[in-house]
Structures are given as structure tokens and as C-alpha cells.
Amino acid sequence: MMCFYPTASILEGLRRLTWFLAFVYAPLAILCAVATYHAGLVESYLWLRLNGGGMAYKVQREIADNLIWLNQDVEVYKDKHGKFPDRLVAGDLPLFRERGNSPQFDAQGRPLDPWGRPYIYAVENEKFDIRTLGRDGIVGGRGLDADLSVERRYAPEPSLKEFLDHRAEMADRSETTLMTWVCAALSVAVFALALWSRLSLPDRQPMTRWLLKVVATSLLVGILGGPVLFVLMMVVVLVTAFFSIFLAMAWLMITYWFGFEVPPMSFH
């Protein structure tokens, strides 16, 4: 009989584990992971704001590039003909046609913005302006409705609500994905360690109190994962910057000491 006791204990443990995961543990772990994932979104928004922004919508980044090419086409036309074009037409926009992001034209050859409206072009006092009124086609607005022009190619940084509501429409930033999944993973890791300890250690607390502690710890560790990762990323950035400066200074000292020719600097 004793030789079958360990096998019976293992089967009983697996039975208890399956029930626990299915009806109590798994839903709580998923809820905590979802909560910390969204906390990571908020933390990634703060990281992007503190680290120089860069939360532009994908379509607005395409418009910004297109405005550059349209601007250069107009300048080339002026250099060639001595005046600005009366209107924008496909035949006078070779750079936009060749290098623009998905260049589109209407039946009259006018370049179109991503919402299918012609770019607004105006010349006044020997200056020209090219702009789009955004998704809504109305002057003013925020987010995707913001007006963009040659002089102002980027919209104001989105608010937290805009970031959370329209993040899928924004340009991809690896920091957001990294921070959100780290927060969610740490939350789930707490549940995994807590379950292992409960099944392994003989001294067990009452189920209700134990679950409350696990949930609270899971949320706390998951939420703190974002700031910790934020600090680590800043440390990596600073260490990389100082190391690059150190290498540059060392190279300059070596070239000066041994009389090597210093290569010309480029800012491109």
C-alpha cells in the first residue's frame, strides 16, 4: 500500500490544481494581467512624453513626408520658371510622385491627402503655403483632425485619452509594447510563484486572505514594473551616451597624440 501513496498524492494534487486554475486562479490572474497591461500603457505614455514625444499618428507622419516633397517640387518649379506655380498639378510634382507616401491625384491632377481631399495651396507676398485640414476637413482640431502645413508638419502631442483611444492608429513605438508586456508578465509571475508556494509549503493561510494578498501583490508588482523599466531604459540611454562620448574623446586624443588625420565630421 505504501508504494502507491506518492502516486495517489500526486494525482490528488493535480486534481486540486486543475480545479483551482479553472475556477479561481486563472480568472484572477487574467484580470490582474489586463489591469497591469493598461497601467503599462499609461506609463508608456508618460515615458514618451518625458523622452521627447514621438506619438504622431501614422497617417500624419505620411502627410509630413508628403509636405516635404511637395515643398521641394514647388521650390524646384520656382528656380526653373522664376515664379511659383499657379496651382499644384501632377506634371509639376516629380518628387512627390516618385518619393511620396502613396501619392494620389484627382481627375484634375491635384495631389490628394490621405482623406481624398486636395492639398490646399496658396501663394501670397512671394511666399507659398501647402496644407491639409485633417480628417474632418475643418479649420482647427486636434488629433487626426489637426491641420498640417509646410510650416507646421506635426500635430500637437496627443492627450492621454487620445493616446489610449487611438493608439492603434499611431506610429509603432517599441517602448510601449515592451513596457505593457513587462507589466503584465510580472503580474502573472506573482500568481505563479504564489500558487507554487501554496502547493509546496505545508503552512497555508485561509484561502480568502491568501487570494487578497496575491491580487494586491500582483497589481503592485505589475504597476511598479513600468517605472523600474523606465529607470533602466534611462540608465541604458545615459550609459550609451557617455560611452559614445568617451570613445569619441579617446579617438580624438589618439589621433592628436600620434598625428593621425581626423576624418571630416558629418551631420547626416
Side-chain angles (χ1 to χ4, degrees), residues 70 88-90 93 96 104-106 109-113 117-119:
L70 290 171
L88 299 180
V89 292
L93 305 172
F96 175 71
Q104 304 177 65
F105 300 90
D106 63 7
R110 296 177 299 178
L112 302 177
D113 66 17
R117 288 188 292 269
Y119 283 96

Side-chain angles (χ1 to χ4, degrees), residues 7 22 38 42 52 54 64 67 74 89 126 130 135 151-152 169 201 211 217 250 257 265:
T7 303
H38 284 83
V42 176
L67 287 172
V74 172
V89 292
E126 295 300 319
I130 307 173
R135 179 180 57 182
E151 299 296 331
R152 181 186 168 193
E169 301 177 45
L201 302 178
L211 283 177
T217 305
W257 184 264
M265 298 183 66

Side-chain angles (χ1 to χ4, degrees), residues 46-48 50-52 175 179 226-242:
L46 297 175
W47 159 264
L48 294 175
L50 293 173
N51 197 36
E175 299 97 321
M179 202 164 290
V228 170
L229 182 61
F230 168 84
V231 172
L232 291 176
M233 291 170 71
M234 287 297 296
V235 169
V236 170
V237 170
L238 292 175
V239 169
T240 303
F242 282 117

